Amino acid sequence: MTQSVQYIDGNFLPSYGSRIKRALSALFNGHAENPYATYTDPDITNHVITDGDTRYNCSRYDHPNSQGTVYILSGLRSTAKGKKFLFEHAKKAQMSVVFGALPVSDSPTETLSEIDKMAKSFLTNPPFFDEHKNKPVFLLAHSTGGHEVTDYLHKGGTDANNLLKRFDCIKIFSGFFRASFVNSFISSVIYPKHADRHADQIYGENLFDRLHIVAKELAGDPVYFDPECTYPTHTEIRYMADAIEPRTAKILDKPFPSLVQRAARLGKVEFIHGEWDGVADRKVAQSVADHMGADFTVMKNTFHNPYTEQRIVALLSHMYNNIREPAKPRLSFLRGAFDSSFLPPFWGARTSRKTSLEIVAPAENLPAIVEKQSTSFPNPVVQ
C-alpha cells in the first residue's frame, strides 16, 4: 500500500526558441548541442577508484565549509562532466558532492556486469566517506543507479543495514525498473524492428532516431549529449530494457527485509519520478515504492533528466527540507526489540513533507542535525 504520493515542481520548460534551435541541431548533427559539455571547474577533482577488481570514475567537490554531502550514483552513460548546475548549486548550498559514474564497456552484457560490480563497491565502500561522515550525508541514485540501490536494499543483510546507517536519506530519482516504450503498442512493435535493423548504430545516427530526438526537444525534453560516453547503440538499449524486467520482477516477487521496510515507512528512502518521464516507467517505479512501503513523489514538469537548473535546485532543497530532527522518545519497546546499533538517532521521527519547493534552503537555515555515528568502514584505493 502506498505511503503517500506527493508532488514537487521541477518548474522548467525551455523557451520555444531554445527548443527549435536544439531540434534543428539534433536533426542535422544526430544530437542537440550541449552548452555545458565543456563545463569545467577547478574545484572538481576526478579520480579512478580501485576496489578489488572493480575500477570506476568518480568526481568530487569539497565545499570548504561543507554542511553535508550528496553522493550520486549516476544513470547509464552519464558522467559528472557537464553537470554545471549540480555543482554550482551545491556550492551555493554549501554542500559537497561525490559523483560515481556507471562504467561502460563495448558489450552490453559486460556493461551490466560491470555496473553491478561498481554499484556494489560504491554502496558498500563509498569513496571518501570517512571525510564526510560527521555531517549529513545523502544518497541520490538516478535511473539505472536507482535500480541498483533498490536491488542492493532488497538483498538485505549487513550491506543493506550499513547503507541505511551511513546515509541520512536515500532518494531514488526516476529509477529504471522498466522501459517506458514497452507500454505503447506502437513503440513496442516498431522500435524493436527498427533496433534490429540498426543494431550496431549509435542512437542518433539514423534519421528515425534524429526525428525522435527532434520530437523530444520540441516537447521541451532536452536530450543532453555527453561526449565522454556518447549515446548507446540500439543493441545496448534493447539489452538493458530486456534485462531489467526480470530483475524488477524478482524484486516485486519477494518482500523487502523488515528493517528496509521500516526505514522506508519512516521516510528514509523515497522514490521521486519525473511526471513526463519517457525513459523509465513511472507506474512500475511506483509499484516498487509501494512494495517497499516508501513515499512516492512526482516531480511535475519534468522528464527523465534531473540535472537542469530548476530540477537540481528542487532536489537539493527537497533533501534539506526532509532531514529528520532527533526523534522524541516514544515507542521505546520497539527500540529494545531490534539491534539498537542499527537504529539511527532520529529513528521514529516523522516530519511533514513540503509540497512545493522553490529554492535551496540557505545553510544557516538548515534544521538541527544530531552528530552522526563514527562507525568506520574500509575505504577503497583512490588514484
Side-chain angles (χ1 to χ4, degrees), residues 33-49:
E33 179 184 358
N34 184 352
Y36 314 116
T38 57
Y39 170 76
T40 56
D41 186 323
D43 295 327
I44 300 171
T45 57
N46 300 307
H47 306 269
V48 176
I49 308 297

Side-chain angles (χ1 to χ4, degrees), residues 169-304:
C169 70
I170 298 171
K171 307 293 186 186
I172 296 170
F173 188 90
S174 282
F176 185 62
F177 301 99
R178 189 188 195 201
S180 292
F181 72 79
V182 301
N183 292 328
S184 164
F185 175 77
I186 295 177
S187 297
S188 63
V189 171
I190 293 179
Y191 177 68
K193 292 181 179 179
H194 170 72
D196 288 342
R197 289 181 61 190
H198 306 282
D200 296 328
Q201 281 190 341
I202 294 173
Y203 172 70
E205 290 183 351
N206 183 271
L207 178 60
F208 183 87
D209 300 337
R210 296 187 183 196
L211 292 175
H212 182 249
I213 298 175
V214 166
K216 290 171 73 67
E217 293 288 351
L218 290 176
D221 182 12
V223 185
Y224 289 115
F225 182 76
D226 189 333
E228 290 193 4
C229 291
T230 73
Y231 291 143
T233 64
H234 288 290
T235 296
E236 184 175 310
I237 295 172
R238 285 286 307 278
Y239 179 83
M240 293 298 292
D242 292 342
I244 217 72
E245 288 212 41
R247 291 179 170 219
T248 302
K250 189 174 180 181
I251 289 173
L252 292 172
D253 189 53
K254 179 183 176 184
F256 280 87
S258 57
L259 283 173
V260 175
Q261 292 187 49
R262 282 194 290 275
R265 286 196 298 270
L266 291 168
K268 189 159 191 180
V269 184
E270 179 183 15
F271 289 72
I272 305 172
H273 213 89
E275 182 179 20
W276 302 324
D277 193 327
V279 176
D281 187 286
R282 174 176 148 188
K283 289 183 178 179
V284 177
Q286 185 170 346
S287 296
V288 174
D290 292 352
H291 190 57
M292 184 190 291
D295 285 348
F296 188 82
T297 299
V298 176
M299 182 174 278
K300 298 171 68 175
N301 304 317
T302 301
F303 297 88
H304 188 67

Side-chain angles (χ1 to χ4, degrees), residues 6-34:
Q6 296 153 108
Y7 293 87
I8 56 178
D9 198 349
N11 193 31
F12 173 75
L13 282 176
S15 67
Y16 286 108
S18 172
R19 296 187 211 182
I20 292 171
K21 181 180 178 181
R22 289 179 57 83
L24 290 173
S25 174
L27 182 62
F28 292 107
N29 300 319
H31 59 82
E33 179 184 358
N34 184 352

Side-chain angles (χ1 to χ4, degrees), residues 47-103:
H47 306 269
V48 176
I49 308 297
T50 303
D51 187 9
D53 61 349
T54 301
R55 288 169 60 88
Y56 62 91
N57 295 322
C58 181
S59 301
R60 68 184 295 198
Y61 162 70
D62 291 324
H63 194 283
N65 187 30
S66 179
Q67 302 299 306
T69 303
V70 57
Y71 277 73
I72 298 177
L73 187 59
S74 78
L76 183 65
R77 291 183 174 271
S78 176
T79 68
K81 193 172 182 63
K83 303 295 190 294
K84 174 184 178 182
F85 299 121
L86 167 64
F87 291 103
E88 281 188 350
H89 285 284
K91 284 185 175 183
K92 291 178 182 178
Q94 297 185 348
M95 202 170 196
S96 299
V97 177
V98 177
F99 190 104
L102 298 185

